[in-house]
């Protein structure tokens, strides 16, 4: 398996002796159907991943796509940034503890994700394999459970020594275990580390009495687990991430490609919300994501037009937005962050300030070379009189110290 490291928005040249061989580019194009829409951008004999980071595996090639915020960061630091954000956002619970130390080595992202899955699974199996009761119909020599009179008359009318019984038995072959077994079987084929593959095979031995999901069967989601199974929620969510990343059907032996990619725009938004929520609570404010929803205008009939959904809003006790934050996962080119503002961003924040009557709006970027955490740049928006602030939040998991007020946002890191 050839391994290649790429960066978001970084071009990969196609051709002999270049980043991608022609057949590898063709395999990547063929697998584009399983990738998020707009994930790939093609040029003349070149291709790049847009705002998506993670892993794609096609035709003997594994591409690791890392975030690229600052040019001086190493691959290991960018890998660690992605793991930290995933852990804080809740996508991969506890992965930052497992990734510490491993991310600085040559361990690739896919093996890290698989190792995390194995770690969570092993920890849960220490408490025993999940079991549940299942109704079983059987014909026995003695009564077990209760006699099914309808079956008894239909099947054993002239065999009184045989009894049609229905009873409940505690079994391990249940949907959640079949889901985990299917994911385990898949990741065994994806792991590149022999030691990791050996660990996975040992775990699979624990599922000897458990089947796998049938083709096109999805299995339970984390929200569908009962109270006794709820401790498996992170594992189930991760199992779905792996199984949903397949191209064709890996369980029938026809796997051709695999992807585990994360939209960095959405990931940065969830990461930011997770870091700011405790600070907002201490200020007596309620943080909500993707809201409150409001239309920018209404027709004469009352029908709303252009539904607005701010990335993050901070509400006071009256449920009125006092701070609206728009997260921007992008690099700022040049030493003046305000000069890098696009007209679209200014129009959007002005619309928020006016429609929500909010006097404080914020563009929040990841910390980078030209916008350090602790720096603050502000301007007044014409018409609304609101203050627009540019601030940065660290992406290494450290807590930002941001003070919220109804008229201003001051950032201190």
């Amino acid at each position: 398996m050839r391994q290649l490291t790429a960066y978001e928005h970084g071009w990969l040249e196609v051709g002999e002796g270049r980043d991608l061989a022609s057949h590898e580019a063709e395999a990547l194009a063929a697998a584009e159907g399983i990738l998020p829409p707009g994930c790939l951008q093609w040029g003349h004999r070149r291709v790049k991943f847009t705002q998506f980071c993670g892993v794609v595996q096609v035709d003997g090639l594994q591409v690791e796509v890392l975030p690229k915020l600052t040019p001086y960061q190493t691959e290991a630091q960018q890998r660690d940034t992605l793991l930290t954000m995933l852990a804080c956002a809740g996508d991969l619970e506890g992965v930052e503890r497992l990734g510490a130390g491993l991310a600085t080595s040559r361990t690739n992202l896919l093996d890290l994700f698989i190792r995390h899955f194995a770690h969570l699974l092993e920890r849960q199996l220490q408490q025993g394999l999940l079991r549940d009761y299942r109704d079983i119909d059987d014909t026995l020599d003695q009564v077990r459970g209760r006699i099914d009179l309808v079956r008894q008359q239909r099947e054993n009318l002239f065999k009184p020594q045989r009894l049609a019984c229905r009873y409940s038995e505690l079994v391990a072959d249940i949907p959640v275990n079949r889901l985990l077994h299917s994911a385990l079987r898949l990741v065994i084929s994806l792991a590149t580390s022999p030691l990791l593959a050996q660990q996975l095979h040992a775990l699979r031995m624990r599922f000897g009495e458990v089947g796998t999901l049938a083709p096109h069967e999805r299995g339970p989601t984390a929200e569908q687990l009962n109270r006794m199974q709820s401790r498996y929620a992170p594992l189930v969510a991760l199992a779905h991430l792996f199984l949903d990343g397949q191209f064709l059907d890996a369980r029938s032996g026809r796997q051709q490609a695999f992807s585990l990619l994360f939209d960095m725009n959405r990931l940065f938004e969830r990461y930011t919300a997770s870091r700011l929520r405790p600070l907002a609570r201490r200020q007596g404010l309620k943080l909500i994501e993707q809201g409150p929803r409001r239309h920018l205008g209404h027709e004469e009939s009352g029908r709303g037009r252009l539904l607005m959904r701010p990335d993050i809003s901070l509400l006071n006790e009256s449920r009125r937005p006092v701070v609206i934050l728009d997260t921007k996962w992008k690099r700022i080119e040049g030493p003046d962050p305000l000069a890098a503002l696009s007209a679209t961003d200014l129009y959007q924040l002005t619309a928020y300030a006016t429609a929500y009557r909010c006097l404080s709006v914020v563009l929040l970027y990841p910390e980078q070379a030209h916008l350090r955490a602790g720096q603050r740049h502000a301007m007044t928006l014409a018409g609304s009189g609101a203050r627009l602030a540019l601030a940065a939040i660290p992406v290494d998991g450290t807590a930002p110290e941001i003070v919220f007020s109804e008229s201003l946002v001051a950032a201190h890191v």
Side-chain angles (χ1 to χ4, degrees):
M1 179 71 63
R2 188 171 85 86
Q3 297 181 2
L4 174 66
T5 298
Y7 292 95
E8 56 173 335
H9 299 292
W11 289 103
L12 296 173
E13 302 295 330
V14 178
E16 292 302 322
R18 298 179 180 269
D19 300 310
L20 291 174
S22 297
H23 72 277
E24 292 172 335
E26 291 172 2
L28 189 61
E32 197 167 358
I34 67 161
L35 303 180
C39 171
L40 294 177
Q41 181 177 335
W42 296 87
H44 178 64
R45 300 187 65 82
R46 62 179 185 169
V47 62
K48 72 176 180 180
F49 289 86
T50 53
Q51 76 276 12
F52 292 86
C53 293
V55 182
V56 175
Q57 187 166 302
V58 292
D59 194 23
L61 171 70
Q62 185 182 104
V63 183
E64 179 183 65
V65 188
L66 300 178
K68 189 66 172 177
L69 286 176
T70 50
Y72 57 80
Q73 282 192 314
T74 64
E75 288 182 14
Q77 289 172 321
Q78 298 290 9
R79 194 178 292 118
D80 191 57
T81 292
L82 179 59
L83 293 176
T84 300
M85 292 178 65
L86 287 170
C88 292
D91 289 29
L92 295 176
E93 181 180 308
V95 74
E96 83 286 6
R97 294 189 297 271
L98 187 68
L102 290 174
T104 59
S105 68
R106 283 306 304 161
T107 304
N108 60 64
L109 270 179
L110 184 54
D111 275 359
L112 279 173
F113 294 145
I114 294 173
R115 196 182 301 273
H116 178 58
F117 176 75
H119 173 73
L120 292 180
L121 182 58
E122 189 168 23
R123 190 172 63 185
Q124 293 299 335
L125 290 180
Q126 288 174 355
Q127 304 179 46
L129 196 63
L130 278 177
R131 296 179 183 274
D132 203 354
Y133 285 99
R134 183 174 65 186
D135 289 334
I136 297 177
D137 294 320
D138 200 359
T139 301
L140 306 174
D141 295 331
Q142 55 186 358
V143 177
R144 182 176 179 182
R146 62 183 178 85
I147 297 177
D148 187 333
L149 294 178
V150 175
R151 285 182 50 236
Q152 181 67 22
Q153 290 188 359
R154 184 178 66 243
E155 300 175 7
N156 301 320
L157 183 61
F158 302 106
K159 303 176 184 177
Q161 74 279 11
R162 304 290 290 168
L163 302 172
C165 299
R166 167 166 287 191
Y167 57 93
S168 296
E169 188 173 63
L170 200 60
V171 297
D173 191 16
I174 57 178
V176 62
N177 284 341
R178 290 197 292 272
L179 170 70
L180 297 177
H181 190 189
S182 298
L184 187 56
R185 182 178 174 182
L186 169 65
V187 297
I188 288 175
S189 67
L190 297 173
T192 59
S193 165
L195 289 177
L196 177 57
Q198 184 178 0
Q199 179 188 4
L200 296 170
H201 279 293
L203 286 173
R204 193 181 175 192
M205 296 291 290
R206 304 284 296 274
F207 288 82
E209 54 184 312
V210 178
T212 56
L213 295 177
H216 311 300
E217 183 182 0
R218 177 154 179 81
T221 63
E223 293 75 20
Q224 294 171 334
L225 300 179
N226 60 37
R227 183 176 59 85
M228 299 297 293
Q229 300 169 346
S230 59
R231 61 187 173 93
Y232 274 73
L235 257 176
V236 166
L238 187 52
H240 278 296
L241 275 178
F242 282 121
L243 292 172
D244 290 346
Q246 300 174 83
F247 181 50
L248 297 180
D249 187 3
R251 287 158 295 191
S252 65
R254 296 186 296 134
Q255 180 200 353
Q256 293 185 9
F258 174 84
S259 72
L260 189 58
L261 293 171
F262 303 92
D263 185 334
M264 296 304 295
N265 293 332
R266 290 287 298 125
L267 177 58
F268 181 58
E269 180 184 325
R270 296 195 306 273
Y271 169 83
T272 300
S274 72
R275 308 314 293 161
L276 298 186
R277 186 170 282 109
L279 303 175
R281 191 179 301 117
R282 288 201 292 268
Q283 296 289 332
L285 302 173
K286 178 180 176 60
L287 185 149
I288 64 171
E289 301 177 57
Q290 293 292 304
R293 303 185 179 189
R294 187 173 298 177
H295 289 96
L296 184 60
H298 292 81
E299 300 177 2
E300 292 183 359
S301 64
R303 180 183 179 184
R305 288 290 185 179
L306 190 57
L307 181 64
M308 297 181 294
R309 294 181 298 180
D311 291 342
I312 299 173
S313 296
L314 304 176
L315 311 181
N316 61 12
E317 294 180 353
S318 302
R319 303 282 301 177
R320 185 174 72 84
V322 294
V323 182
I324 292 177
L325 301 101
D326 192 54
T327 58
K328 296 294 180 184
W329 177 261
K330 62 171 63 172
R331 288 173 59 178
I332 293 177
E333 304 295 343
D336 184 2
L338 287 175
L341 282 176
S342 68
T344 302
D345 290 340
L346 284 174
Y347 290 145
Q348 181 182 12
L349 271 296
T350 300
Y352 285 161
T354 303
Y356 289 92
R357 295 188 176 92
C358 182
L359 295 177
S360 182
V361 290
V362 184
L363 279 173
L364 199 56
Y365 292 82
E367 184 178 22
Q368 51 193 284
H370 295 299
L371 186 60
R372 309 300 299 176
Q375 296 177 351
R376 179 176 157 271
H377 306 267
M379 61 185 294
T380 301
L381 297 176
S384 66
R387 294 280 286 175
L388 167 64
L390 268 69
I393 184 171
V395 289
D396 59 359
T398 57
E401 298 177 8
I402 296 183
V403 179
F404 304 112
S405 69
E406 295 197 8
S407 60
L408 185 67
V409 171
H412 310 281
V413 178

